[in-house]
């Protein structure tokens, strides 16, 4: 494990390294004072996921958040997509394994979810900053051993990794100006759902179809009968065959 000297030298922003916290996203929101900030924790007691889900966060996993002023965030509309690409590329570089992104931003190793990402916008004046900012939170399972039964079927782990090195790799990539076209291209190439039969809800209607891919805005294209649906948010489940 690289130590905190490594983080100080390589992270490029202030940080908090905590044993346990409710949620690194919550903590980053409370501590943000207008300049970039990172928060890491060995475990979370109230880890949060998308769509109001909780994120199981026992010791052994990797949990971190990066807060960035709105005006410094390159292509904020694509932050979620960019975060998925940055995490995926960092994991591939440091573990030598191949990963895929399940729309919107779960990272899969084979057919198992090993990482979830929650990007949130925080309007100015609601927290300690007059300016609006984004918090991008990443949770990675290194192993799914001992996970509750309801998570056992889907959750996986990436194996052992140097946490400090991974965090620096991801945050430095997030900070870097990158061509949005290139980001969406990689995102589409790494799509876990493309070609799969899925079910989803659109405008209150339960639907199913085959995923065609991802468009230039990072939206999911699904062929349902003769209709092409374009999903900009929500959840999609792979249909069991
Ligand atoms: C999801 O699976 O829907 C997203 C999960 C995001 C979890 C990370 S862990 C670090 C940060 N803190 C949180 O409470 N959530 C994110």
């Amino acid at each position: 494990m690289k130590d905190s000297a490594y983080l100080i030298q390589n992270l490029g922003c202030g940080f908090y390294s905590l044993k346990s916290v409710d949620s690194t996203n919550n903590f980053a929101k409370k501590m943000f004072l207008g300049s970039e900030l990172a928060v890491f924790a060995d475990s979370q007691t109230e880890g949060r996921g998308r769509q109001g889900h909780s994120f199981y966060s026992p010791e052994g996993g990797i949990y971190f958040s990066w807060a960035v002023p709105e005006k410094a965030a390159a292509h904020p509309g694509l932050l979620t997509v960019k975060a998925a690409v940055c995490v995926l590329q960092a994991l591939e570089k440091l573990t030598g394994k191949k990963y895929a992104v399940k729309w919107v931003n779960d990272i899969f190793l084979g057919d198992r979810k090993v990482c979830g990402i929650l990007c949130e916008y925080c309007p100015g004046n609601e927290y300690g900053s007059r300016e609006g900012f984004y918090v991008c939170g990443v949770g990675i399972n290194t192993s799914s051993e001992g996970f509750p039964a309801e998570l056992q079927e889907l959750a996986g782990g990436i194996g052992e990794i140097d946490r400090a090195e991974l965090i620096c790799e991801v945050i430095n990539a997030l900070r870097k100006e990158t061509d949005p076209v290139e980001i969406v291209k990689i995102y589409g190439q790494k799509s876990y759902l493309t070609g799969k039969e899925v079910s989803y809800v659109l405008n209150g209607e339960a639907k199913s179809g085959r995923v065609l891919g991802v468009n230039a805005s990072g939206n999911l294209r699904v062929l349902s009968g003769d209709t092409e649906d374009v999903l900009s948010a929500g959840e999609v489940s792979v249909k069991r065959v």
Side-chain angles (χ1 to χ4, degrees), residues 9 23 74 114 116 135 152 159 221:
Q9 278 170 15
S23 147
V114 292
V135 175
Q152 284 290 351
R221 300 171 50 220

Side-chain angles (χ1 to χ4, degrees), residues 8-178:
I8 292 165
Q9 278 170 15
N10 293 283
L11 192 59
C13 65
F15 64 88
Y16 291 87
S17 181
L18 310 167
K19 272 230 67 65
S20 179
V21 70
D22 57 347
S23 147
T24 56
N25 271 30
N26 293 355
F27 193 86
K29 287 181 190 179
K30 275 186 232 145
M31 293 303 168
F32 185 83
L33 290 174
S35 42
E36 241 186 77
L37 176 71
V39 180
F40 336 120
D42 294 345
S43 65
Q44 299 182 117
T45 52
E46 287 170 47
R48 295 186 292 110
R50 293 173 54 253
Q51 316 265 337
H53 293 303
S54 60
F55 187 80
Y56 184 61
S57 313
E59 247 182 71
I62 300 171
Y63 315 104
F64 65 97
S65 300
W66 177 64
V68 61
E70 181 172 20
K71 58 181 184 299
H75 316 296
L78 278 181
L79 187 60
T80 291
V81 168
K82 182 172 175 178
V85 170
C86 292
V87 173
L88 180 143
Q89 289 184 325
L91 287 174
E92 290 198 342
K93 179 173 167 185
L94 299 180
T95 67
K97 298 172 187 164
K98 292 284 173 212
Y99 298 82
V101 185
K102 177 179 174 282
W103 188 86
V104 181
N105 52 6
D106 289 340
I107 308 287
F108 270 54
L109 179 60
D111 286 322
R112 291 183 173 260
K113 174 172 169 171
V114 292
C115 166
I117 300 170
L118 177 67
C119 293
E120 300 181 284
Y121 176 67
C122 306
N125 291 324
E126 276 193 21
Y127 300 89
S129 155
R130 273 200 288 157
E131 310 286 338
F133 60 101
Y134 291 92
V135 175
C136 190
V138 180
I140 298 171
N141 309 328
T142 52
S143 155
S144 57
E145 231 181 84
F147 272 35
E150 66 273 18
L151 300 178
Q152 284 290 351
E153 205 182 323
L154 181 65
I158 61 163
E160 281 312 308
I161 192 167
D162 191 301
R163 186 178 81 140
E165 199 175 356
L166 176 71
I167 291 170
C168 289
E169 190 74 31
V170 172
I171 292 180
N172 284 315
L174 279 168
R175 186 183 293 126
K176 213 152 82 199
E177 273 274 359
T178 20

